[in-house]
Amino acid sequence: MDIHGLSMTFLVMGLISAILGAVACYIIMDPPEDIVKHFSTLGKKRAVIPKRDLGPREIIRTGDFWVMWTSFFLVSAAGLMLIGHLMSLTLSRGFNPIEASLAISVFSVTNALGRPPLVGSRISWGGTVGLSQ
Amino acid sequence: MIVFFFIQSFIFIGLALNVFEASALFGAAALAGFFYGSALALYPALTGDFFGLKHLSTNYSLVFTGWGIAGLVSPSLGGYFVDLTGGYELALIIFGVFSLAGSSTCLYLLKRLKLYLE
């Protein structure tokens, strides 16, 4: 079977993620008590503690939520626009299709590399913002 | 906090680089990707600090709709500007300004945040 070609590529990618996802959701589980305890004390030691616990209905009534929403919108708009247009942008600058797809790969790889601040914040969700204060 | 702001401004600089140095294509793609990724990773933490950890997952899903709407709107908006001017310069500058505006909004948010943290 020829796996080259656009629709075949999507089919193969879809099958791979379906299989991996199905397998992964059987492996995943709640962490054991002692690990949860370990990380929650770790978080309390170094992170700042939020004063309040608001539910989803309460936060949409605060102005801060909408300011945050708008800033998320504005900040991610640039990146999302670039994802959609990187191919035609590079082609319009006179690069060939191989260089264009390489540029997209570079973008995707560094996109993933940029996220590890998340690992710090996983330990305690205040971690990343707290650390940079 | 200051780092948080600068990371997002660098998205703007990454885009500006893209405008003027087409030969630095890979570097610009790398920078833009990196700072887009890290900006995305910082919002869950910000949501947690603002509204508490108890309902964080639900709250973050609400904040995340901002990303969804941006994904819906910004590529077509970008395409519109490209069609309008016949080049990517204006579209990139406009989205750079968007990004800078978002970063400045973050400065305000960080000032407010001090009220809610112990």
Side-chain angles (χ1 to χ4, degrees):
Chain A
M1 200 159 52
D2 185 23
I3 59 159
H4 301 94
L6 197 60
S7 56
M8 206 55 203
T9 309
F10 276 114
L11 190 64
V12 171
M13 296 294 281
L15 284 176
I16 289 174
S17 58
I19 294 167
L20 286 181
V23 172
C25 72
Y26 279 101
I27 297 173
I28 205 163
M29 57 174 186
D30 284 336
E33 274 303 308
D34 51 327
I35 292 182
V36 173
K37 251 181 210 155
H38 173 73
F39 280 117
S40 61
T41 52
L42 202 74
K44 266 177 201 139
K45 241 179 268 167
R46 51 165 238 212
V48 283
I49 320 264
K51 268 184 204 164
R52 41 180 203 174
D53 278 316
L54 296 186
R57 272 155 208 260
E58 291 160 314
I59 68 164
I60 56 170
R61 268 185 254 131
T62 62
D64 291 331
F65 169 76
W66 293 106
V67 175
M68 194 190 288
W69 192 93
T70 310
S71 88
F72 199 13
F73 174 86
L74 289 171
V75 165
S76 54
L80 286 163
M81 177 268 183
L82 206 58
I83 290 175
H85 287 274
L86 200 54
M87 190 73 180
S88 49
L89 187 151
T90 43
L91 291 178
S92 78
R93 294 273 164 86
F95 294 96
N96 64 42
I98 298 169
E99 287 168 323
S101 50
L102 253 174
I104 293 172
S105 305
V106 169
F107 185 96
S108 309
V109 168
T110 54
N111 186 353
L113 285 178
R115 302 203 185 202
L118 191 65
V119 176
S121 58
R122 272 268 164 76
I123 296 171
S124 115
W125 284 99
T128 314
V129 177
L131 274 178
S132 51
Q133 246 176 351
Chain B
M1 291 304 182
I2 298 160
V3 177
F4 185 57
F5 168 68
F6 272 112
I7 281 173
Q8 295 184 31
S9 296
F10 273 123
I11 301 176
F12 173 70
I13 295 168
L15 287 170
L17 268 180
N18 221 343
V19 175
F20 301 114
E21 297 248 335
S23 58
L25 170 71
F26 293 120
L31 275 178
F34 184 81
F35 290 115
Y36 166 68
S38 48
L40 225 63
L42 285 166
Y43 274 88
L46 195 66
T47 312
D49 280 0
F50 253 93
F51 304 120
L53 306 182
K54 200 176 163 198
H55 301 283
L56 174 59
S57 41
T58 329
N59 293 348
Y60 181 59
S61 67
L62 283 177
V63 176
F64 201 67
T65 56
W67 180 88
I69 303 288
L72 213 61
V73 173
S74 70
S76 28
L77 195 66
Y80 173 75
F81 286 123
V82 172
D83 289 343
L84 206 67
T85 58
Y88 270 95
E89 285 74 17
L90 181 72
L92 284 172
I93 289 170
I94 285 175
F95 278 95
V97 171
F98 269 30
S99 182
L100 199 67
S103 310
S104 324
T105 320
C106 282
L107 274 188
Y108 166 78
L109 276 177
L110 297 181
K111 210 187 263 177
R112 296 275 298 167
L113 186 59
K114 291 208 176 86
L115 299 173
Y116 304 125
L117 290 178
E118 274 174 356

